[in-house]
Amino acid sequence: MNLAKVRNIGISAHIDSGKTTLSERILFYAGRIHKIEDVRGGGDGATMDHMELEKERGITITSAATYLSWKEHNINLIDTPGHVDFTVEVERSLRVLDGAILVLCSVGGVQSQSMTVDRQMKRYNVPRLAFVNKMDRTGADPFKVVKQVRDKLGADAVLFQIPIGKEDNFKGVVDLVSMKAYYNDGEKGEVVRVDEIPEDLKGPAEDYRHQMLEALSMYDDGLMEKMLGEEEITDEEIHKTTRDAVINQAFTPVFMGSAFKNKAVQPLLDAVIHYLPSPTEVSNYGMNPESQERMKLEANAKKPLVAMGFKITDDEYGQLTYTRIYQGKVEKGGAYFNQRSGKKERFSRLVRMHSNKREEIDSASAGDIIAVMGIDCASGDTYCDGLNYCTLENIYVADPVIKMSIEPKSRDNSDKLSKALQRFRKEDPTFHVFTDEETNETIIAGMGELHLEVYVERIRREYGVEVTVGAPKVSYRESGQQPYDFDHKRKKQTGGSGQYGHIVGTMRPMSEADRAAIEEAGGEVGEFYFEDKVTGGRIPKEYIPAVKKGFEEMMEKGPVAGYPVVGLTVELLDGSYHDVDSSDMAFKLTARECFREYFSRMKPVLLEPIMKMEIECPEDFQGSVVGQVSSKRGMIVETETNNGITKIIAEVPLAETFGYSNDLRSQTQGQGTFSMEFEKYAPVPSNIQEEIVEARRKEAGNAA
């Protein structure tokens, strides 16, 4: 297989930007499907939305993978969800892709979710192209969108096309590289007609081409010299410079079209081939588990195998593991080592995926994205030929912010329910299942209301289990507000050897400097920072970890309302020990007692999750929508009105957002939409804190 002709790409965007519709057209023009289905409305639903629920709701929930051929190139394409509740799907896809298309709405422009996707792309160093979709909509303005990409995402975004006509009159695009006009003919836009640029656009096209070349000349001295000397610049030179700049993640070329109206999708596919990297042009690194050194992986089939199982799904045939091969090759029937569990597992069947249909294959090599059947692994596991050869960095997983209790309506279905929950937990790292110790209820936790609703619905459909769910609950946290110096001694004498521990130090809220220090040391920035500043062996080194563990254990339940404590720094400065009576256990208990006694003197408060909410509604409803957001303790961050549509960005406590979709619909006659994502934790107002503490006390009383 010629790797230079392979592209592993994803399509990512804000919800409702038309990503799935774009994937559908790409598959159609590449000959992978013979009939176009739309996301909403009658018919079978879009090919990439293969779950029943996705077709009904018209949103993409899981990433579907498929592959296609375009102009002698093989493209592995992954369509990802735009809804923030399914953000782990986007993380998973970007982790294994070499390039991406960022889809933006020509009217909405850069929205909050586009910014989240942009952050994720930067986290995994994914080069991208931008595609301004829905050019046929009223108020379409690609020039405004490009400016937003520059301002809000900090990207060097440059138009590579300009539109011919706009809104209802959108006819095609002018390609600024070839300086030709592209139109789509035929019933479904399958015929691309290349023509001369319309007279009225020749001047603007020249101006925009000049801007494009000026931007590109910043990345290539040879191109700059030619520009200054006013020499002819060939298409090949433009392609090469653009490709290098895109692969170095410095440059974002912007294309445009209307996937729904079958316009200008084929030139985007050409751009994928011209500008996005092949597996050999991307640097991927793993880590040697023994030496802890980074190792560069080569997209070479003859080297030892390194592959990552990045997504798991279960169906009637067993577990299906989507796998990206970074180095080496896998063969049907071959056995490979799971680097995490140390088990050797047989890859009984290899398949290429086309949404939820599959094609059997005998082998796959570096650069491929395939699915393996029959292996038992977790999301993010690495497979190699030998043990302890290489591990790949895992996927970033956000903590859940919402939880609710769940139980089967009929006792007979308990086993089925636990089977379903176990399966979903394995497939989705952001979906948590645990038992509440106080009430003994089964609790599910996730990224938002929609996230949990979808799983509850899947339990009903796929397992036939009717369930009762409790009201959603917020995951509060507790945090100290001011430093406190402690000096605590534990002395217990109960016949035989006693228990002696003595610690002196400071407890304080975690600062930005503490977080920076953790990052510098290569640690993971968590919610607890422990600094050992004991000198001269005042406390022997072997007891220090026990002190840290004592504090950590007590942080699981804070004194305010029994929620986890976050953002705590403990500086251990001094102490003393006893030759006979001191032990690990003695120092751990000393730390626990110290926390129990002194943490409440740090004036702890409850923290609640604050969501960044983006609302779009007709201008007429702006006043009442803003009023309602304010009544929900929301803070308006910015409002912007374009073509009669108002966009409101607000920060609203999660506790106030339950059922908001119904409120917004009734306020805007069904025309308002909103999306939200976790922004930060912030202190709860004191009157509300009292209510929460009281409610927790009652719960504990009832459980007892």
Side-chain angles (χ1 to χ4, degrees):
M1 182 171 70
N2 180 0
L3 281 179
K5 293 199 165 184
V6 173
R7 300 286 179 275
N8 290 318
I9 66 161
I11 296 184
S12 296
H14 187 86
I15 189 167
D16 255 2
S17 299
K19 295 180 305 299
T20 305
T21 308
L22 178 63
S23 308
E24 203 69 9
R25 299 308 185 264
I26 287 173
L27 294 176
F28 177 73
Y29 296 134
R32 289 293 289 163
I33 55 174
H34 303 291
K35 172 181 153 200
I36 291 177
E37 293 284 2
D38 287 316
V39 178
R40 293 192 172 94
D44 296 334
T47 306
M48 299 295 269
D49 285 350
H50 60 81
M51 261 166 53
E52 283 297 319
L53 258 175
E54 296 185 314
K55 290 173 186 170
E56 273 182 30
R57 288 176 182 252
I59 58 168
T60 303
I61 294 167
T62 54
S63 303
T66 189
Y67 83 105
L68 54 116
S69 297
W70 183 256
K71 297 191 176 171
E72 296 174 11
H73 286 68
N74 290 329
I75 300 174
N76 286 311
L77 175 74
I78 292 194
D79 174 36
T80 56
H83 203 287
V84 68
D85 290 358
F86 303 102
T87 182
V88 72
E89 291 285 342
V90 184
E91 293 275 351
R92 277 180 177 157
S93 310
L94 290 176
R95 171 68 181 83
V96 296
L97 296 176
D98 301 327
I101 299 170
L102 177 64
V103 183
L104 299 159
C105 170
S106 65
V107 181
V110 173
Q111 293 155 291
S112 61
Q113 195 67 33
S114 327
M115 291 161 88
T116 304
V117 169
D118 173 69
R119 279 200 303 277
Q120 291 168 326
M121 285 181 181
K122 285 175 181 157
R123 184 182 294 137
Y124 295 112
N125 303 318
V126 179
R128 75 280 182 87
L129 311 174
F131 181 70
V132 181
N133 196 14
K134 303 193 175 184
M135 283 296 297
D136 56 308
R137 269 186 70 183
T138 307
D141 185 349
F143 306 104
K144 181 194 80 181
V145 177
V146 171
K147 186 176 181 312
Q148 285 184 348
V149 174
R150 283 200 204 107
D151 298 346
K152 291 189 176 178
L153 305 183
D156 188 3
V158 177
L159 284 168
F160 267 49
Q161 297 172 338
I162 59 170
I164 302 170
K166 60 183 222 179
E167 300 177 357
D168 287 354
N169 204 21
F170 176 63
K171 294 191 174 74
V173 293
V174 172
D175 177 27
L176 300 177
V177 179
S178 64
M179 289 303 276
K180 295 281 185 199
Y182 282 72
Y183 301 95
N184 286 75
D185 296 336
E187 192 190 337
K188 296 274 194 304
E190 61 273 25
V191 180
V192 179
R193 173 165 55 88
V194 183
D195 217 328
E196 293 306 312
I197 299 173
E199 278 303 318
D200 60 329
L201 285 176
K202 280 188 175 165
E206 284 294 345
D207 293 345
Y208 280 107
R209 177 182 166 88
H210 186 73
Q211 284 178 24
M212 174 187 82
L213 292 174
E214 260 186 353
L216 280 172
S217 67
M218 304 304 286
Y219 299 96
D220 188 303
D221 295 342
L223 201 64
M224 187 173 272
E225 281 169 25
K226 280 195 160 187
M227 286 275 295
L228 294 171
E230 295 190 356
E231 294 173 49
E232 186 63 35
I233 294 170
T234 65
D235 292 3
E236 274 60 47
E237 286 172 309
I238 296 174
H239 289 327
K240 185 187 179 310
T241 307
T242 307
R243 184 180 184 80
D244 292 346
V246 168
I247 290 172
N248 290 325
Q249 295 142 53
F251 188 71
T252 305
V254 182
F255 301 86
M256 63 191 68
S258 166
F260 187 62
K261 290 285 168 71
N262 310 318
K263 285 187 172 34
V265 173
Q266 294 94 327
L268 177 67
L269 274 171
D270 293 342
V272 164
I273 287 164
H274 285 312
Y275 307 131
L276 288 180
S278 69
T280 54
E281 294 166 301
V282 178
S283 299
N284 287 303
Y285 294 89
M287 187 185 273
N288 182 312
E290 288 171 341
S291 66
Q292 293 293 303
E293 282 175 12
R294 275 179 95 193
M295 52 195 282
K296 189 167 183 186
L297 304 176
E298 285 179 51
N300 182 338
K302 295 190 170 71
K303 292 259 180 184
L305 172 75
V306 178
M308 180 187 196
F310 65 95
K311 177 180 161 66
I312 295 166
T313 57
D314 259 334
D315 59 15
E316 64 270 33
Y317 306 113
Q319 183 171 306
L320 191 66
T321 308
Y322 287 83
T323 306
R324 160 80 199 252
I325 304 165
Y326 287 98
Q327 182 177 287
K329 68 185 289 192
V330 294
E331 292 183 334
K332 182 178 174 177
Y336 306 99
F337 284 97
N338 180 326
Q339 301 294 293
R340 180 184 56 85
S341 67
K343 283 187 194 157
K344 193 172 189 180
E345 298 190 48
R346 211 168 144 267
F347 286 22
S348 54
R349 288 167 71 194
L350 307 179
V351 292
R352 260 193 218 292
M353 294 305 292
H354 174 47
S355 196
N356 66 338
K357 302 186 185 76
R358 54 199 70 176
E359 253 161 75
E360 297 266 348
I361 52 172
D362 292 327
S363 69
S365 52
D368 256 340
I369 291 181
I370 56 157
V372 180
M373 296 188 69
I375 55 174
D376 181 27
C377 72
S379 175
D381 281 357
T382 308
Y383 281 91
C384 301
D385 288 325
L387 258 181
N388 293 336
Y389 175 68
C390 171
T391 61
L392 293 160
E393 140 196 73
N394 216 318
I395 306 160
Y396 171 82
V397 178
D399 286 334
V401 292
I402 178 175
K403 54 188 186 214
M404 52 170 76
S405 61
I406 184 168
E407 60 178 6
K409 282 189 177 166
S410 143
R411 288 264 158 213
D412 306 345
N413 285 330
S414 294
D415 287 354
K416 274 191 191 167
L417 177 63
S418 69
K419 203 168 157 191
L421 295 176
Q422 285 309 104
R423 172 191 152 189
F424 296 146
R425 183 159 110 184
K426 200 169 171 189
E427 287 179 17
D428 179 353
T430 59
F431 179 71
H432 292 232
V433 181
F434 57 94
T435 304
D436 187 316
E437 289 169 14
E438 290 164 6
T439 60
N440 220 12
E441 294 172 310
T442 301
I443 306 289
I444 53 175
M447 301 308 297
E449 249 185 312
L450 179 67
H451 189 204
L452 297 184
E453 267 176 33
V454 164
Y455 278 119
V456 168
E457 194 56 37
R458 283 183 68 186
I459 290 166
R460 285 194 184 117
R461 291 180 185 215
E462 294 171 34
Y463 289 85
V465 177
E466 286 298 323
V467 292
T468 309
V469 291
K473 287 181 183 167
V474 176
S475 299
Y476 292 102
R477 299 281 183 265
E478 298 184 18
S479 180
Q481 298 294 290
Q482 60 187 45
Y484 187 80
D485 297 333
F486 60 82
D487 180 344
H488 186 72
K489 194 178 279 185
R490 175 183 169 87
K491 235 174 166 175
K492 280 275 190 300
Q493 200 68 44
T494 48
S497 66
Q499 282 187 346
Y500 181 90
H502 177 209
I503 53 176
V504 179
T506 304
M507 287 194 282
R508 57 181 165 81
M510 193 186 282
S511 64
E512 284 309 311
D514 295 337
R515 292 179 194 277
I518 300 170
E519 271 182 350
E520 214 170 284
E524 197 173 306
V525 180
E527 294 301 344
F528 178 53
Y529 180 40
F530 183 80
E531 247 183 317
D532 170 20
K533 289 188 174 175
V534 176
T535 52
R538 306 273 297 165
I539 300 176
K541 282 281 173 233
E542 65 265 26
Y543 297 146
I544 303 288
V547 177
K548 182 182 177 186
K549 188 150 181 49
F551 279 110
E552 273 178 330
E553 284 177 1
M554 290 302 287
M555 284 175 67
E556 288 170 16
K557 276 191 172 183
V560 182
Y563 289 106
V565 173
V566 295
L568 178 68
T569 294
V570 172
E571 263 182 73
L572 188 60
L573 303 170
D574 199 2
S576 61
Y577 72 103
H578 187 281
D579 286 335
V580 177
D581 292 348
S582 286
S583 63
D584 271 357
M585 180 53 87
F587 270 97
K588 187 168 101 170
L589 292 171
T590 308
R592 288 177 67 107
E593 268 180 18
C594 174
F595 182 93
R596 192 179 296 122
E597 199 157 315
Y598 301 121
F599 180 71
S600 51
R601 299 188 193 178
M602 288 179 72
K603 300 257 169 72
V605 294
L606 276 189
L607 303 179
E608 63 181 345
I610 303 291
M611 308 303 279
K612 181 180 177 188
M613 191 183 269
E614 187 170 311
I615 306 162
E616 284 190 10
C617 65
E619 199 176 349
D620 311 351
F621 300 113
Q622 180 180 347
S624 57
V625 170
V626 166
Q628 189 176 44
V629 168
S630 303
S631 73
K632 290 181 175 295
R633 300 195 282 126
M635 196 173 79
I636 306 294
V637 178
E638 91 181 67
T639 57
E640 178 187 309
T641 302
N642 274 319
N643 306 308
I645 297 290
T646 296
K647 184 159 88 178
I648 299 160
I649 293 176
E651 290 181 356
V652 187
L654 176 67
E656 304 284 344
T657 63
F658 300 138
Y660 181 63
S661 48
N662 294 337
D663 296 349
L664 183 65
R665 268 190 223 114
S666 60
Q667 267 207 317
T668 58
Q669 296 169 8
Q671 296 171 61
T673 59
F674 81 103
S675 64
M676 63 180 186
E677 60 183 318
F678 172 69
E679 176 77 2
K680 61 184 178 191
Y681 271 98
V684 175
S686 55
N687 59 325
I688 291 168
Q689 175 167 320
E690 284 166 20
E691 289 170 20
I692 295 166
V693 172
E694 188 53 40
R696 284 285 277 190
R697 204 171 284 132
K698 278 186 184 156
E699 261 178 43
N702 293 341

